Amino acid sequence: MSFGSPSTTTESTSIFVTQKLYDEILGNDRHLIAIETTRASDIVQQFRQFALRSGGALYLWTEEVGITNLRESDLPVPGSQRFHDALRHIANSLHGGIYVFVGFSKQLRSPATSVIRQLARQTGPGAKKVVFVDTKVRLPEGLDVFVNRFAHVAEEKKPPRLRDGRWVF
């Protein structure tokens, strides 16, 4: 995989979160991942389904709830609703895994960027992967060199139409 340009997936079935993507994220040298999509809620739901099927260590952060395990979403991490606090929790946690962030754009400020930089430079076993999901992921200047980007382009399925007495797909 080339790190210079984003990987792009276009699928009419819109299945994006697969074992292959999971393995690519975990095996990647970079610890910051950006998934650019117009269907963030679909991608989050696919991560949830994948976590249930695979049993992998997948977590989700939203501003309303904080950090939750995607398999057991009814138990949020206390005090993780603020973006900066969630990042600090991840940086100090012993739990490796993939942490998916949605709805973070407004909170990318100075204290959070230093923790993101720290997470980007982590080494050793049990490294944590931070996945940012948004229409366009814009990280502060200087962080793009630490990010591996994926672009999800979902084709709109057009309904069949009738032409000359036959259905055309």
Side-chain angles (χ1 to χ4, degrees):
M1 173 192 307
S2 169
F3 291 118
S5 61
S7 298
T8 304
T9 301
T10 304
E11 298 182 7
S12 59
T13 59
S14 195
I15 300 296
F16 183 72
V17 180
T18 60
Q19 184 68 43
K20 181 181 176 192
L21 177 70
Y22 182 76
D23 292 341
E24 282 185 42
I25 290 172
L26 285 181
N28 203 308
D29 296 357
R30 299 174 186 192
H31 301 291
L32 302 180
I33 310 294
I35 297 177
E36 296 178 342
T37 180
T38 56
R39 297 181 173 183
S41 60
D42 290 347
I43 297 299
V44 168
Q45 189 59 33
Q46 288 181 30
F47 269 114
R48 185 179 316 280
Q49 291 295 325
F50 184 82
L52 290 170
R53 282 192 320 266
S54 71
L58 288 152
Y59 305 91
L60 173 67
W61 178 87
T62 59
E63 189 173 9
E64 301 83 34
V65 180
I67 298 174
T68 58
N69 186 322
L70 281 171
R71 287 177 288 150
E72 304 159 8
S73 59
D74 55 339
L75 299 171
V77 173
S80 65
Q81 284 137 333
R82 289 181 37 212
F83 185 62
H84 178 257
D85 292 338
L87 290 170
R88 197 172 37 182
H89 171 80
I90 294 167
N92 295 329
S93 174
L94 298 176
H95 295 273
I98 296 175
Y99 294 83
V100 180
F101 281 78
V102 178
F104 59 91
S105 299
K106 297 175 188 169
Q107 300 190 30
L108 278 173
R109 293 186 210 77
S110 181
T113 56
S114 62
V115 181
I116 292 172
R117 203 174 300 278
Q118 177 187 352
L119 286 166
R121 293 184 175 144
Q122 64 185 323
T123 58
K128 300 139 199 127
K129 304 292 183 171
V130 180
V131 178
F132 298 106
V133 179
D134 205 345
T135 305
K136 180 70 178 160
V137 177
R138 292 181 185 93
L139 294 175
E141 191 173 316
L143 285 175
D144 270 343
V145 296
F146 298 112
V147 177
N148 188 27
R149 294 185 179 273
F150 291 90
H152 172 246
V153 181
E155 292 179 354
E156 291 294 325
K157 283 185 126 180
K158 295 181 180 178
R161 61 187 201 281
L162 196 58
R163 178 190 275 168
D164 298 329
R166 296 178 188 235
W167 287 105
V168 180
F169 296 92

